[in-house]
Amino acid sequence: MNNSAANTGRVLWAGLRALLVLTLVCGVLYPLAVTGIAQLTMPGRANGSEIEDASGKVVGSELIGQTYTLPLKDGEETPAPDLRWFQPRPSNGLGTNSVNTQYSIILSGATNRSGDNEDLIKWVTDAKAAVVKDNSTADYQVKPSDVPADAVTSSGSGLDPHISPEYARLQVHRVAERNKLDVAAVEKLVAEHTDDRILGFIGEPRVNVLKLNIALKDLVAKG
């Protein structure tokens, strides 16, 4: 009995030591090391790729899209877009989180239906008509054939921060008219905020909507 108890005690103590060592290494030292290296080598990414406006205020992340809408009116289920700003890709949200009762969290989601799905066809058709209507001005008429796919469908996450250069350029005349700006100045703004393919061949050219709208705000302020 004494030998058995002693053996049991040694096993328990060995297990406890292993637990303490692993907790220290994996739960304290490793996270601190990774966090420290990230802060030293890539502080911007480590802190969420935050974007600041001209005043130095953090206004979002370059990794997550934002909506630019008007205040919700009585009887509206979804707010109307604020057409002074460049609009992002549609965000096909799935509603509020019914599990977490402390916070009302909007879940993201993709369009993600088959090409012949009736709901998808109606949704895309209606979205295209809205894009044509919203972006047509007195001297610029948008054609349905001009509307790119990213203007009427959400990304896989529903939170894509980028739009295609084609969609950005389609919005130029409307943004210029709403903000009383010269069309050429807004076109230049889009060109300056168009990123090429990574390494010249990975991905597609893209425009970060938040960065573009920050630059637009500065341009409007300058008159």
Coordinates of all heavy atoms in Angstrom, one line a residue, residues 32-44 46-47:
L32 N 3.3 35.4 -25.8 CA 4.0 36.7 -25.6 C 5.1 36.8 -26.7 O 5.3 37.9 -27.2 CB 4.7 36.7 -24.2 CG 3.7 36.9 -23.0 CD1 4.5 36.8 -21.7 CD2 3.1 38.3 -23.1
A33 N 5.7 35.7 -27.0 CA 6.8 35.8 -28.0 C 6.2 36.1 -29.4 O 6.7 37.0 -30.1 CB 7.5 34.4 -28.1
V34 N 5.1 35.4 -29.7 CA 4.4 35.7 -31.0 C 3.9 37.1 -31.1 O 4.1 37.8 -32.1 CB 3.3 34.7 -31.3 CG1 2.5 35.1 -32.5 CG2 3.8 33.3 -31.4
T35 N 3.3 37.6 -30.0 CA 2.8 39.0 -30.0 C 3.9 40.0 -30.1 O 3.8 41.0 -30.8 CB 2.0 39.2 -28.6 OG1 0.9 38.3 -28.6 CG2 1.4 40.6 -28.6
G36 N 5.0 39.7 -29.4 CA 6.1 40.6 -29.4 C 6.8 40.7 -30.8 O 7.0 41.8 -31.3
I37 N 7.0 39.6 -31.4 CA 7.5 39.5 -32.8 C 6.6 40.2 -33.8 O 7.1 41.0 -34.6 CB 7.8 38.1 -33.2 CG1 8.9 37.4 -32.4 CG2 8.1 38.0 -34.7 CD1 9.0 35.9 -32.6
A38 N 5.3 40.0 -33.6 CA 4.4 40.7 -34.5 C 4.4 42.2 -34.4 O 4.3 42.9 -35.3 CB 2.9 40.1 -34.3
Q39 N 4.4 42.6 -33.1 CA 4.5 44.1 -32.8 C 5.7 44.7 -33.4 O 5.7 45.9 -33.8 CB 4.3 44.4 -31.3 CG 3.0 44.1 -30.8 CD 1.9 45.0 -31.3 OE1 2.2 46.1 -31.7 NE2 0.6 44.6 -31.2
L40 N 6.8 44.0 -33.3 CA 8.1 44.5 -33.8 C 8.2 44.5 -35.3 O 8.7 45.4 -35.9 CB 9.3 43.7 -33.2 CG 9.6 43.9 -31.7 CD1 10.6 42.9 -31.3 CD2 10.0 45.4 -31.5
T41 N 7.7 43.4 -36.0 CA 7.9 43.3 -37.4 C 6.8 43.8 -38.2 O 7.0 44.2 -39.4 CB 8.1 41.8 -37.7 OG1 7.0 41.0 -37.3 CG2 9.4 41.3 -37.0
M42 N 5.5 43.7 -37.7 CA 4.4 44.2 -38.5 C 3.3 44.8 -37.6 O 2.2 44.2 -37.4 CB 3.8 43.0 -39.3 CG 3.6 41.8 -38.5 SD 3.0 40.4 -39.6 CE 4.5 39.9 -40.4
P43 N 3.6 45.9 -36.9 CA 2.7 46.4 -35.9 C 1.3 46.8 -36.5 O 0.3 46.6 -35.8 CB 3.4 47.7 -35.4 CG 4.4 48.0 -36.5 CD 4.8 46.7 -37.0
G44 N 1.3 47.2 -37.7 CA 0.0 47.6 -38.3 C -0.9 46.4 -38.5 O -2.1 46.4 -38.1
A46 N -0.6 43.5 -36.9 CA -0.8 42.9 -35.6 C -1.9 43.6 -34.8 O -2.7 43.0 -34.0 CB 0.5 43.0 -34.7
N47 N -2.2 44.9 -35.1 CA -3.2 45.7 -34.4 C -4.5 45.8 -35.2 O -5.3 46.6 -34.9 CB -2.7 47.1 -34.1 CG -1.6 47.1 -33.1 OD1 -1.6 46.3 -32.1 ND2 -0.5 47.9 -33.3

